[in-house]
Amino acid sequence: SYITVASADTHFSDRGFTLWATMSTAEKEQALRRATDYLEFTYRLRWAGYRVNSTQALSWPRYDVPKFDSLGNYYSSTTVPPEVIKANVELAYRAAHGELLEDLAPPVLSETVGPISRTFDKSATRVTKYPAIDRLLNPLLTGQGGMQVLRA
């Protein structure tokens, strides 16, 4: 995980999320790991920059990741950006309440009740999305063509 249980405890305590405090340490660790898995599966090919070591278990830390501040700074290659840590802990809360990467059936295009008939949209993929997490991590992601996403 990108965050310790103790740091996650502080994060949720500061925000009044009392359900987290009722969980065992093992349950918290599992939720943090599931959240990390989600981050890795969802964003691993889209992170900006490069892994510090090709054999590291997780995508971060990385080097050559711009901060997009007015000074043209880059994130340190020895730390994990706060946005990744916050995404990890926020997803852990969701993971404590259910599956983050659940299998979903394709959407139904049409349905007839009698005699029963259903048509599924085979071209559509359905995955659970977390728009707040996407917005939080957007500055750390590259575009689909490997180009850094910038706003003019």
Side-chain angles (χ1 to χ4, degrees), residues 1 3-6 8-9 12 18-36 88-89 91-98 100:
S1 176
I3 185 170
T4 65
V5 169
D9 287 347
F12 291 122
T18 57
L19 182 61
W20 183 262
T22 66
M23 296 168 53
S24 71
T25 299
E27 290 171 325
K28 293 173 184 179
E29 288 172 345
Q30 292 164 356
L32 288 167
R33 284 188 199 110
R34 287 194 307 272
T36 303
N88 197 163
V89 73
L91 285 166
Y93 190 79
R94 290 165 174 85
H97 298 88
L100 295 175

Side-chain angles (χ1 to χ4, degrees), residues 37-99:
D37 288 344
Y38 179 88
L39 289 170
E40 292 297 311
F41 293 142
T42 305
Y43 300 104
R44 70 175 176 241
L45 299 177
R46 297 175 51 209
W47 295 121
Y50 308 92
R51 296 169 79 175
V52 171
N53 183 328
S54 63
T55 60
Q56 68 192 50
L58 299 176
S59 294
W60 293 90
R62 301 175 76 79
Y63 68 92
D64 205 21
V65 179
K67 281 190 174 182
F68 295 105
D69 60 12
S70 61
L71 304 173
N73 291 318
Y74 286 76
Y75 286 96
S76 168
S77 63
T78 60
T79 61
V80 177
E83 295 90 345
V84 174
I85 294 169
K86 181 168 176 128
N88 197 163
V89 73
E90 291 295 328
L91 285 166
Y93 190 79
R94 290 165 174 85
H97 298 88
E99 184 62 46

Side-chain angles (χ1 to χ4, degrees), residues 103-109 118-127:
D103 295 329
L104 299 172
V108 177
L109 285 177
R118 292 180 106 180
T119 305
F120 294 95
D121 184 356
K122 294 176 185 167
S123 64
T125 58
R126 289 186 56 189
V127 294

